[in-house]
Amino acid sequence: MMIIMGQGDSILGLLVKLWRHLGHRRKNQFYILAILLPLGGVAEVMSLGAVLPLLTVLIEPETIFKYDYIKNFVSIFNIEKTEQMALPIVIVFSFLVIGSALFRIALLWAMTRVAFGCGADLCVKVYRTTLYQPYSKHISQHSSNVIAGIAGKVSGSAAVLQHVLLLINAAIMGGMILIAMFIASPLIALISSVGIGSIYLAISWQSRKRLLINSNAIAVESVRQIKYLQEGLGAIRDVLIDGTQNIFLSMYQKAEFSLRKAQCNNNVIAASPKFMVEAFGIILIAIIAFAFSMRSGGVLEVLPVLGLFVLAAQRLLPALQQIYASWAFVAGMQTSLIDAISLLDQKLPMIHDRSMIAGLAFKSEIEAINLGFKYSPEGPVVLANVSFVIERGARIGILGVTGSGKSTLFDILMGLLVPTTGQLVIDSESIVNEKIDQWQKIIAHVPQNIYLTDATVAENIAFGVPLEQIDMERVRLAAERANISLFIDGLELGYATVTGERGARLSGGQRQRLGIARALYKNAKVLLLDEATSALDDATEKSVMDAIEGLGSDITILIIAHRLSTLERCDFIYKVEGGTLSMISASSLKAVP
Ligand code: ATP
Ligand code: MG
């Protein structure tokens, strides 16, 4: 199971793990941000620090002329009287503030872009590693895990990264403002930072557990939410007939409500301290103002410093709130982050570029030596001691009761499942590692359940080939052989007709014949048909089998079928029974019911 409730990893540890999954380009972007963020802080403090001279000049203009260099500098602009200073200072101040705002907008854009770019990279990485996982891994996990993992958790890590950046940004900003405040008045700075800081620390300590519990709920319920959606819609026919809409709805509702409740709780936890702390901040300023007013000289004398403090507090409070809220967000995503990392941590097997690989030069025979198979170490033996030799160009039929292991045998023959014991040998070479890719390159398979995509008929036949590279001649030939061309030609849009999700707009037999056409399009040397004609009427099946029969004597064909008539023209017929394979002689063939 992918969802790990483990709390062993600290948030920082998880972030380090996430960092390792980022590409070089993204890491470099982070380094650039690491330089820009402090600059943003400087810009912030500069626009803030400019308030002090502004207020000083507006209240007591003559103070500024105490400095000779300012007097000399402004005299260049023909400014002699102190009153003339006010306007230029206001203009300079405005430019500073606007410049700082623009820089911060740019910084926000850069941070958000990098974070969401990382999210996209990580999602693609997970989909890529998932697609390359061996077949055995795919049949052992529910696809909603992967879908929820990619759609929710991994893309959620983009938001996590964004919040980490916001946190760092706010911390730098807050730190610089604090320093400025300390320079202006150490005592007030100390009182306010300790006061506000301890409030946030206390709240974080308090909400830690709640956030973790919610983060578990978010991780679990987001998988359930997708699972119930998939299951209800996937079995819609049964749901409609049985009238079980309510059951699916209530399961979905439960997941959805739990998920939203946890998210809502986390949002409230993240946002609520703001109001208390703001109230505290305002009270603090009032007290400070009051304390100053009691001293000789009154408030007027300290107005510039007080103004600076009001402004600083107005910037400092949101910065502290941002630090806290971002931390709360990341903490609330902790479990999702663990799941995302476990998806990212999936081992990527050696990837061989199929287009660069030459197909196996299959010359003489396929040999199975003592093949045995179990789906799991503790599970039942599905196949045991299966040995046979199939000559190139042979037509082989395979019979056996349902559940006897026919499809499993095909999966092993195709190199999708690795046999638990024994080996598959082609032309006296064992099919392992890169040989599997070469072998698969010359195989075409028609599965029991054909998965058609919501694309055109042509795209479904030339499956996985980009539209502009589809060889329409080959598509037509494949459709003809699969006995589906008449039907396709009869469609208004012909080969450009869209088949609907999973081929929902086609009959079972039409889907099967499209599946056969898809296999034939590949021009493979080995063709495996797993009940490929089970949905066809006798006459259609016969003509499809005739066409397959006429494919050429160098193509090896293996056919699983329940109907003996399908296997009529096979050279040899095997029966899977009790986990083993036995050949049925021509005479006993007639005896098989
Ligand atoms: P059918 O004629 O119904 O298609 P089959 O001969 O093709 O049957 P298989 O699909 O090969 O049968 O299944 C063989 C056995 O392996 C069955 O008992 C089945 O329950 C089991 N099995 C199949 N797939 C899995 C799986 N993914 N995990 C565990 N057991 C499986
Ligand atoms: Mg089967």
Side-chain angles (χ1 to χ4, degrees):
M1 191 67 180
M2 193 189 66
I3 298 156
I4 308 160
M5 296 304 221
Q7 279 120 48
D9 271 312
S10 68
I11 295 173
L12 201 64
L14 290 173
L15 291 175
V16 170
K17 282 186 182 168
L18 196 62
W19 171 257
R20 292 204 194 112
H21 283 287
L22 295 178
H24 279 303
R25 204 172 125 237
R26 295 293 172 205
K27 283 183 181 162
N28 287 340
Q29 289 175 340
F30 271 98
Y31 296 139
I32 294 173
L33 279 180
I35 299 169
L36 291 181
L37 285 179
L39 288 182
V42 172
E44 176 80 21
V45 173
M46 260 173 51
S47 71
L48 205 60
V51 175
L52 193 59
L54 178 77
L55 291 181
T56 312
V57 168
L58 292 183
I59 296 168
E60 300 171 276
E62 52 286 347
T63 48
I64 197 151
F65 275 164
K66 284 197 284 205
Y67 303 103
D68 276 344
Y69 62 92
I70 293 183
K71 206 171 184 175
N72 296 339
F73 180 71
V74 295
S75 65
I76 304 171
F77 304 100
N78 279 334
I79 295 175
E80 299 296 342
K81 279 197 234 110
T82 50
E83 300 84 62
Q84 288 174 297
M85 277 301 293
L87 188 64
I89 283 188
V90 168
I91 291 173
V92 170
F93 176 74
S94 308
F95 271 108
L96 263 175
V97 173
I98 288 175
S100 146
L102 288 179
F103 186 73
R104 287 170 59 210
I105 291 173
L107 204 54
L108 179 72
W109 174 84
M111 287 195 302
T112 316
R113 256 224 50 182
V114 171
F116 281 78
C118 289
D121 282 1
L122 294 174
C123 287
V124 171
K125 186 169 178 182
V126 170
Y127 188 38
R128 181 180 149 90
T129 8
T130 305
L131 279 180
Y132 279 105
Q133 290 304 305
Y135 184 62
S136 53
K137 180 96 191 272
H138 286 281
I139 54 179
S140 68
Q141 77 174 0
H142 200 291
S143 65
S144 48
N145 262 343
V146 179
I147 295 174
I150 294 178
K153 296 168 186 174
V154 184
S155 58
S157 59
V160 166
L161 288 173
Q162 191 196 13
H163 275 278
V164 170
L165 285 171
L166 285 173
L167 190 153
I168 296 172
N169 187 28
I172 291 174
M173 209 82 96
M176 289 199 173
I177 295 171
L178 260 184
I179 291 172
M181 282 166 82
F182 264 101
I183 293 170
S185 169
L187 185 67
I188 304 175
L190 192 72
I191 294 171
S192 41
S193 60
V194 169
I196 297 171
S198 50
I199 292 181
Y200 272 115
L201 276 181
I203 295 170
S204 327
W205 187 252
Q206 254 281 306
S207 48
R208 252 172 64 249
K209 273 223 175 77
R210 193 72 253 160
L211 285 170
L212 186 63
I213 293 170
N214 289 339
S215 93
N216 285 340
I218 291 172
V220 173
E221 302 301 347
S222 62
V223 174
R224 288 210 185 126
Q225 175 204 33
I226 291 189
K227 185 165 169 261
Y228 296 139
L229 274 180
Q230 271 184 323
E231 288 176 352
L233 294 173
I236 189 63
R237 202 184 253 130
D238 296 316
V239 171
L240 287 175
I241 291 173
D242 304 343
T244 45
Q245 289 95 336
N246 266 335
I247 297 175
F248 280 93
L249 201 59
S250 74
M251 289 192 295
Y252 174 73
Q253 194 180 30
K254 232 175 116 203
E256 184 74 46
F257 269 77
S258 310
L259 174 67
R260 301 300 168 198
K261 202 175 128 198
Q263 287 177 336
C264 154
N265 276 342
N266 279 1
N267 283 0
V268 173
I269 290 175
S272 52
K274 181 171 175 252
F275 305 107
M276 274 316 292
V277 176
E278 265 174 16
F280 178 77
I282 292 169
I283 293 172
L284 205 65
I285 288 167
I287 292 173
I288 292 169
F290 175 73
F292 275 122
S293 71
M294 301 311 269
R295 288 175 21 175
S296 60
V299 180
L300 209 60
E301 187 189 296
V302 289
L303 203 55
V305 178
L306 200 60
L308 177 72
F309 264 91
V310 171
L311 208 63
Q314 190 237 336
R315 297 276 168 95
L316 186 64
L317 285 179
L320 289 178
Q321 169 60 26
Q322 181 72 65
I323 294 174
Y324 168 76
S326 292
W327 170 82
F329 181 86
V330 177
M333 287 290 285
Q334 204 171 342
T335 314
S336 296
L337 210 54
I338 293 175
D339 289 349
I341 287 167
S342 80
L343 275 176
L344 283 162
D345 277 341
Q346 291 180 105
K347 263 212 205 91
L348 188 64
M350 275 281 279
I351 297 175
H352 314 286
D353 182 1
R354 284 289 168 98
S355 59
M356 307 295 282
I357 289 177
L360 201 69
F362 173 41
K363 292 201 191 85
S364 59
E365 59 189 27
I366 305 168
E367 191 183 1
I369 305 172
N370 278 332
L371 288 182
F373 188 77
K374 280 189 202 181
Y375 274 98
S376 57
E378 62 282 355
V381 174
V382 179
L383 295 170
N385 287 326
V386 172
S387 299
F388 57 80
V389 177
I390 296 170
E391 300 276 325
R392 190 183 127 204
R395 282 14 180 191
I396 304 294
I398 294 165
L399 288 170
V401 294
T402 172
S404 54
K406 305 179 296 294
S407 298
T408 308
L409 178 65
F410 263 23
D411 286 338
I412 297 171
L413 287 180
M414 289 186 289
L416 284 176
L417 293 176
V418 181
T420 331
T421 59
Q423 54 176 331
L424 176 67
V425 172
I426 313 286
D427 295 343
S428 45
E429 269 195 283
S430 192
I431 298 302
V432 284
N433 303 330
E434 75 279 358
K435 284 280 172 221
I436 295 181
D437 294 273
Q438 297 176 13
W439 171 230
Q440 287 174 342
K441 187 122 190 197
I442 62 166
I443 294 178
H445 173 231
V446 185
Q448 244 170 326
N449 305 306
I450 292 133
Y451 191 99
L452 295 181
T453 51
D454 188 17
T456 62
V457 168
E459 281 167 293
N460 265 300
I461 293 178
F463 188 59
V465 179
L467 194 59
E468 61 282 358
Q469 288 172 30
I470 293 177
D471 179 348
M472 276 314 289
E473 262 323 291
R474 227 162 98 188
V475 168
R476 281 203 184 84
L477 188 67
E480 230 163 78
R481 283 180 170 155
N483 213 319
I484 185 86
S485 57
L486 272 182
F487 165 74
I488 299 170
D489 289 334
L491 295 168
E492 202 180 327
L493 294 173
Y495 285 86
T497 311
V498 174
T499 59
E501 191 185 345
R502 291 166 198 255
R505 277 174 227 146
L506 301 173
S507 79
Q510 287 160 352
R511 276 201 289 270
Q512 271 199 337
R513 280 175 290 159
L514 272 189
I516 295 172
R518 180 188 286 180
L520 296 177
Y521 180 87
K522 272 183 81 176
N523 278 343
K525 291 186 194 164
V526 181
L527 196 57
L528 295 105
L529 309 176
D530 190 347
E531 312 246 349
T533 54
S534 61
L536 306 184
D537 61 84
D538 285 344
T540 313
E541 178 181 42
K542 192 171 178 324
S543 53
V544 172
M545 291 314 291
D546 280 343
I548 289 172
E549 181 62 33
L551 280 179
S553 56
D554 58 334
I555 295 180
T556 313
I557 305 170
L558 287 87
I559 306 166
I560 294 175
H562 283 298
R563 274 185 289 192
L564 261 182
S565 57
T566 319
L567 308 178
E568 244 166 19
R569 272 160 298 175
C570 287
D571 304 321
F572 298 100
I573 296 184
Y574 290 92
K575 187 171 184 185
V576 183
E577 200 174 24
T580 55
L581 199 71
S582 50
M583 198 191 285
I584 300 175
S585 68
S587 53
S588 67
L589 183 59
K590 293 191 184 71
V592 178

